[in-house]
């Protein structure tokens, strides 16, 4: 059985001090929660990463990077190498966030190079996928998700499955103009994702946690997390206040317990 995951991406918000204060408050607010059953992670800006990894225990809150170059070094102005992340004890790297794909025009092939490079360096790789509004309207969401998974995870070996996390974040659900997916819709797409992971890796594909993200908020968090195929929540705006995020987490855990959804 798997853990339940709660994480946030701070995007291009919070300076170094704000990030450190946020992390300390979140660590304190969640200190009583059993980390064998629940996993917490925060993905701050690059510039905050060294202070972030020094300010909390990563057994309590795992610190992730928002992106990574796919070479160890070279003539890649503006890129950050896996060796540099390793040097500051980052253990988790997110790739393929919707804003990377749609604002910065990154492709599945590029995400795949990053996934493979990150795995080589021992990082846990959080690959984000999701269909656009247009793709949903054309009725090709499942095909898009399958294609992003097949390309993004190309050449990943079965023994590396333990180091892969997936975030399903429909593009139309993300950010201030996003509308959250209903829990039924999200659950049905998570099922498609899990079936595809089984196609790729066999039964061990089911070990990969699949997190939902896109306008998760205090009102919808517990109904999303209790869905059969949803293993965690990847929260943006509603997590950027540590107290609010802790209370969303506590409420979700309470609901999970009431629903008797098995954790671990
Ligand atoms: P949101 O962001 O919760 O603010 O919609 C989600 C994300 O971009 O991961």
């Amino acid at each position: 059985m798997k853990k339940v995951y709660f994480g946030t991406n701070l995007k291009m918000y919070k300076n170094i001090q704000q990030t450190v204060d946020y992390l300390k408050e979140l660590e304190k607010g969640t200190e009583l929660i059993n980390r064998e059953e629940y996993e917490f992670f925060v993905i701050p800006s690059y510039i905050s990463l060294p202070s972030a990894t020094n300010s909390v225990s990563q057994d309590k809150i795992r610190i992730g990077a928002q992106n990574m170059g796919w070479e160890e070094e070279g003539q890649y102005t503006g890129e950050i190498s896996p060796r540099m992340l390793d040097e500051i004890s980052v253990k988790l790297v997110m790739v393929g966030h919707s804003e990377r794909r749609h604002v910065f025009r990154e492709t599945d092939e590029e995400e795949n190079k990053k996934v493979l490079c990150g795995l080589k360096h021992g990082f846990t790789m959080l690959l984000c996928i999701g269909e656009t509004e247009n793709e949903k309207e054309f009725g090709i969401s499942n095909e898009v998700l399958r294609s992003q998974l097949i390309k993004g995870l190309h050449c990943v070996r079965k023994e590396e499955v333990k180091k892969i996390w997936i975030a399903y974040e429909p593009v139309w659900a993300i950010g201030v103009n996003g509308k959250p997916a209903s829990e039924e819709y999200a659950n049905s797409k998570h099922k498609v994702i899990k079936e595809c992971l089984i196609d790729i890796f066999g039964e061990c594909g089911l070990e990969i946690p699949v997190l939902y993200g896109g306008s998760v908020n205090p009102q919808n968090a517990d109904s999303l997390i209790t869905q059969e195929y949803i293993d965690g929540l990847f929260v943006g705006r509603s997590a950027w206040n540590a107290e609010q995020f802790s209370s969303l987490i506590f409420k979700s855990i309470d609901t999970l317990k009431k629903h008797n959804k098995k954790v671990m």
Side-chain angles (χ1 to χ4, degrees):
M1 295 296 277
K2 290 197 295 274
K3 292 183 180 184
V4 174
Y5 296 72
F6 292 93
T8 183
N9 160 23
L10 299 182
K11 306 193 181 186
M12 202 172 71
Y13 293 102
K14 293 194 194 293
N15 63 26
I16 299 173
Q17 191 56 51
Q18 288 165 337
T19 303
V20 168
D21 294 346
Y22 169 82
L23 283 167
K24 288 193 169 153
E25 196 183 337
L26 187 63
E27 188 179 42
K28 182 106 198 62
T30 57
E31 68 189 345
L32 299 177
I33 301 174
N34 181 353
R35 273 23 185 208
E36 310 256 291
E37 297 175 25
Y38 300 96
E39 170 104 29
F40 302 119
F41 65 96
V42 171
I43 307 187
S45 71
Y46 259 124
I47 211 80
S48 304
L49 280 175
S51 308
T53 54
N54 282 329
S55 63
V56 286
S57 152
Q58 292 208 56
D59 297 337
K60 301 279 184 223
I61 301 179
R62 210 190 293 214
I63 302 297
Q66 295 183 9
N67 190 14
M68 187 191 77
W70 62 73
E71 293 287 349
E72 292 184 348
E73 62 182 10
Q75 300 175 87
Y76 298 101
T77 303
E79 288 295 287
I80 303 286
S81 127
R83 280 193 197 152
M84 296 166 189
L85 294 178
D86 207 21
E87 207 181 342
I88 54 167
S89 308
V90 167
K91 313 224 178 304
L92 169 69
V93 179
M94 168 174 71
V95 296
H97 185 275
S98 160
E99 289 148 21
R100 298 298 322 167
R101 290 177 188 266
H102 298 287
V103 182
F104 299 99
R105 300 273 156 223
E106 290 185 7
T107 64
D108 287 315
E109 289 73 14
E110 288 167 340
E111 310 313 350
N112 179 240
K113 286 192 209 170
K114 295 178 191 190
V115 166
L116 295 177
C117 176
L119 289 173
K120 201 171 112 203
H121 284 267
F123 298 128
T124 294
M125 298 304 293
L126 169 58
L127 173 67
C128 304
I129 59 171
E131 80 281 12
T132 62
E133 174 120 62
N134 190 265
E135 289 161 341
K136 176 159 82 80
E137 271 158 22
F138 276 112
I140 55 167
S141 304
N142 296 356
E143 287 79 358
V144 170
L145 296 176
R146 286 184 62 84
S147 156
Q148 289 176 339
L149 286 170
I150 291 166
K151 289 183 186 166
L153 299 174
H154 185 62
C155 287
V156 172
R157 290 173 290 129
K158 275 191 185 172
E159 4 357 325
E160 294 169 320
V161 151
K162 286 189 170 51
K163 296 265 181 178
I164 298 284
W165 300 354
I166 301 294
Y168 168 56
E169 301 202 292
V171 179
W172 45 270
I174 294 176
V176 277
N177 299 319
K179 25 185 179 350
S182 69
E183 57 266 26
E184 295 81 17
Y185 185 88
N187 196 42
S188 71
K189 295 302 164 227
H190 278 237
K191 184 165 186 275
V192 168
I193 292 167
K194 284 183 184 264
E195 284 164 357
C196 181
L197 292 171
I198 294 176
D199 289 347
I200 300 173
F201 297 111
E203 280 304 304
C204 71
L206 283 178
E207 289 171 32
I208 298 177
V210 185
L211 283 49
Y212 172 78
S215 294
V216 175
N217 59 48
Q219 289 73 45
N220 65 12
D222 39 358
S223 52
L224 284 162
I225 196 62
T226 43
Q227 296 302 308
E228 184 176 358
Y229 299 108
I230 298 184
D231 303 313
L233 299 176
F234 192 24
V235 191
R237 289 154 294 150
S238 296
W240 297 341
N241 170 298
E243 201 186 325
Q244 195 184 342
F245 193 25
S246 304
S247 93
L248 182 152
I249 290 169
F250 274 106
K251 190 161 164 262
S252 300
I253 292 179
D254 263 6
T255 315
L256 280 174
K257 285 189 178 144
K258 281 190 201 118
H259 273 70
N260 218 2
K261 185 171 161 184
K262 277 263 171 296
V263 178
M264 284 297 285

